[in-house]
Amino acid sequence: MSPPHKPKQKRGLWSSRFGFIMASAGSAVGLGNIWKFPYVTGMHGGGAFVLFYLFCIFVVGIPLMLGEMVIGRHTHRNPVGAFNSLRGGPWTAVGWLGVISGFVILSYYSVVAGWAVNYLWLALQGTFSSQHASKVPELFAGLLSSDLGQLFWQSVFMASVIGIVLGGVSKGLERANKVMMPILFLILVFLAGYGVLSPGGPTALRFLFYPEWSKLDAQSMLEALGHALFSLSLGMGAMLTYGSYADEKTNLPTAAFTVSFMDTCVALLAGIAIFPIVFTYGMQPAGGPGLVFKTLPIVFSRMPAGSMFAVLFFLLLVFAALTSAISLLEVVVSYYCDEQKWSRNKATLVIGFLIFLLGVPSALSNNLLKDFHVIGDRNFLDSIDFLASNYLLPLGGLLITVFTGWVITTRVAKSEIEKGAVRFHFYPVWHFLIKYVSPVLVAIVFLHTIGLF
Ligand code: PHE
């Protein structure tokens, strides 16, 4: 294996190791945890899905996250450059798959994030106060049906993402992350406590944690696996790219474990906050992508100081979405800066705009294009989300686990992990998981779902 080439252009590094962990957690914790996890759990019947999801985090997610960080830091390159310098040939396509996924995911992610920005705006106007409680259920339908509204909020969000990435992953963002992430966590703990104590609490906990295995079919398993990858920002090189900005002393196993742990806690807390409301108010757990937007505002309109909590919650949701979106754009931008030698400004503006354009059909998928079904009865937004989480990320994840477990040598992986005098006692476990267990599991679930056996 040829040694990785040193990048020609000077690249940034995180200002601190804590900053790296927080930025990676910022990438992982996003709409995937608060918007998507509860609704896919609801659609796939609860407990068994959740347990299989946790299993995927342990046997695929954590090992793969460490694998991506190892490749990133070893090469100090974007995904395409990293695979190219480590092995080249067809493996470079894995990097390309990541760049394409970043492009595709951000296109619809920015539309959903736009819903959150719109709700923040509504919260600021006091819409979720007690006087307006009766309006809450109609709000979401109203938002979805407005084509111009959707485009407007999507562009507000994309403009913010572009603005931040233009400045580089700035110190300001690292610093803000360190404050906002803990606050988001505290609010979720509070909302989860509120949920558990409400009348629907016990039913919700049973729904979330008591497995009825008969509800878990191959499709749900693929969904759980795909969502584990999506939620941890894996399978497309986002963690690889962030790892490439880490210095040699960073303890990668600790980072991978901490980030995965935080991400999982936030998803579970979001579920514990949302499902009690679903059961207390007799809503449908399988209510689909609008779930969080239809449930939490009800609580805000009933609790004391609810308007204030609504503002805080949606502010943090927007922030969580921003920190994830930045990492999606960063993957694509880092490719154009490293490999094509574009300036950061040019790459961010051009790519950001193209991603916005690709997002337009998603923004219109619940209004002008609502009868346009792409995969099954899914509209454009849901189809492209389905495609990304269930095909692109599992395929990318499979290839990256195979690459880490079989192509780069044990010596390279071990010495990379142990740089900076890190003692990693679980190395044999990690190596076994990434070499045998993770690729086999991903391959089985994936091949079964695409109908190959
Ligand atoms: N992990 C992010 C979330 O949960 C989404 C994401 C996926 C970000 C892939 C980067 C890469 O919202």
Side-chain angles (χ1 to χ4, degrees):
M1 179 169 39
S2 58
H5 309 292
K6 282 280 161 254
K8 294 176 192 72
Q9 205 164 293
K10 196 168 163 27
R11 301 174 94 245
L13 283 179
W14 301 110
S15 64
S16 67
R17 269 154 253 161
F18 183 62
F20 164 57
I21 294 196
M22 277 313 183
S24 308
S27 166
V29 174
L31 295 171
N33 307 62
I34 299 167
W35 161 70
K36 203 171 165 194
F37 173 76
Y39 102 73
V40 288
T41 298
M43 304 228 302
H44 291 275
F49 178 86
V50 173
L51 287 185
F52 190 72
Y53 168 75
L54 294 177
F55 175 73
C56 292
I57 300 246
F58 271 99
V59 303
V60 183
I62 301 176
L64 179 56
M65 183 169 302
L66 181 54
E68 285 204 20
M69 287 175 172
V70 166
I71 298 175
R73 192 180 63 184
H74 187 67
T75 56
H76 288 299
R77 299 290 279 272
N78 65 90
V80 175
F83 286 100
N84 198 17
S85 71
L86 277 171
R87 192 33 75 98
W91 283 107
T92 311
V94 183
W96 269 109
L97 192 64
V99 172
I100 294 169
S101 306
F103 209 91
V104 169
I105 295 176
L106 186 52
S107 78
Y108 71 86
Y109 201 86
S110 57
V111 173
V112 179
W115 301 348
V117 184
N118 186 354
Y119 267 58
L120 172 61
W121 175 243
L122 293 174
L124 283 168
Q125 293 167 310
T127 313
F128 306 122
S129 63
S130 49
Q131 304 94 294
H132 299 95
S134 56
K135 287 208 216 108
V136 166
E138 297 142 40
L139 277 176
F140 191 67
L143 157 68
L144 288 191
S145 64
S146 156
D147 41 8
L148 285 180
Q150 296 256 331
L151 288 173
F152 174 74
W153 296 112
Q154 175 208 4
S155 23
V156 169
F157 182 79
M158 263 322 274
S160 325
V161 176
I162 292 174
I164 296 169
V165 176
L166 270 182
V169 184
S170 67
K171 272 203 173 134
L173 193 95
E174 256 186 77
R175 214 175 290 142
N177 250 318
K178 288 179 210 163
V179 183
M180 301 287 259
M181 283 290 154
I183 303 183
L184 175 69
F185 193 76
L186 286 181
I187 292 231
L188 275 176
V189 171
F190 175 79
L191 291 175
Y194 190 93
V196 171
L197 297 177
S198 66
T203 322
L205 288 181
R206 195 184 148 80
F207 177 77
L208 271 175
F209 297 112
Y210 182 80
E212 284 177 45
W213 295 109
S214 59
K215 290 194 177 156
L216 194 71
D217 56 14
Q219 185 55 43
S220 308
M221 285 162 97
L222 181 75
E223 191 83 43
L225 173 74
H227 185 62
L229 299 177
F230 181 88
S231 187
L232 294 172
S233 306
L234 296 173
M236 49 135 328
M239 288 299 166
L240 188 159
T241 307
Y242 273 18
S244 78
Y245 303 131
D247 71 15
E248 310 296 317
K249 293 209 184 83
T250 306
N251 185 330
L252 296 180
T254 305
F257 189 80
T258 315
V259 171
S260 306
F261 180 74
M262 294 204 268
D263 188 73
T264 309
C265 288
V266 172
L268 293 178
L269 282 172
I272 300 174
I274 287 168
F275 281 106
I277 309 166
V278 171
F279 291 110
T280 305
Y281 293 100
M283 298 164 138
Q284 278 307 319
L291 196 64
V292 60
F293 295 99
K294 292 184 197 150
T295 49
L296 287 183
I298 301 188
V299 175
F300 297 137
S301 69
R302 285 171 201 241
M303 64 168 48
S307 305
M308 189 198 81
F309 273 106
V311 172
L312 209 51
F313 176 79
F314 286 111
L315 182 70
L316 295 166
L317 183 60
V318 169
F319 194 81
L322 262 179
T323 51
S324 300
I326 288 160
S327 71
L328 286 162
L329 184 55
E330 183 66 28
V331 170
V332 190
V333 165
S334 71
Y335 164 74
Y336 280 94
C337 292
D338 286 358
E339 307 297 314
Q340 305 294 341
K341 305 288 169 268
W342 285 18
S343 71
R344 190 167 186 91
N345 285 356
K346 176 178 166 192
T348 311
L349 288 170
V350 172
I351 305 299
F353 184 67
L354 291 177
I355 292 179
F356 168 76
L357 287 184
L358 182 65
V360 168
S362 289
L364 301 180
S365 62
N366 285 296
N367 36 72
L368 282 184
L369 299 179
K370 73 172 177 312
D371 297 320
F372 176 52
H373 295 159
V374 190
I375 304 179
D377 56 0
R378 295 177 182 83
N379 64 27
F380 190 86
L381 190 156
D382 296 343
S383 301
I384 194 160
D385 179 22
F386 178 81
L387 190 80
S389 305
N390 293 359
Y391 290 84
L392 293 178
L393 297 185
L395 184 61
L398 173 63
L399 295 171
I400 302 175
T401 48
V402 170
F403 188 81
T404 316
W406 296 85
V407 179
I408 51 176
T409 61
T410 310
R411 187 180 47 78
V412 170
K414 197 162 192 311
S415 65
E416 189 57 47
I417 290 176
E418 289 180 349
K419 268 185 190 158
V422 172
R423 307 271 314 104
F424 182 37
H425 300 293
F426 295 106
Y427 183 84
V429 180
W430 173 71
H431 198 245
F432 179 76
L433 285 175
I434 196 122
K435 188 160 184 157
Y436 302 105
V437 184
S438 330
V440 170
L441 182 77
V442 182
I444 293 177
V445 177
F446 186 65
L447 293 179
H448 187 75
T449 312
I450 61 174
L452 279 190
F453 71 89

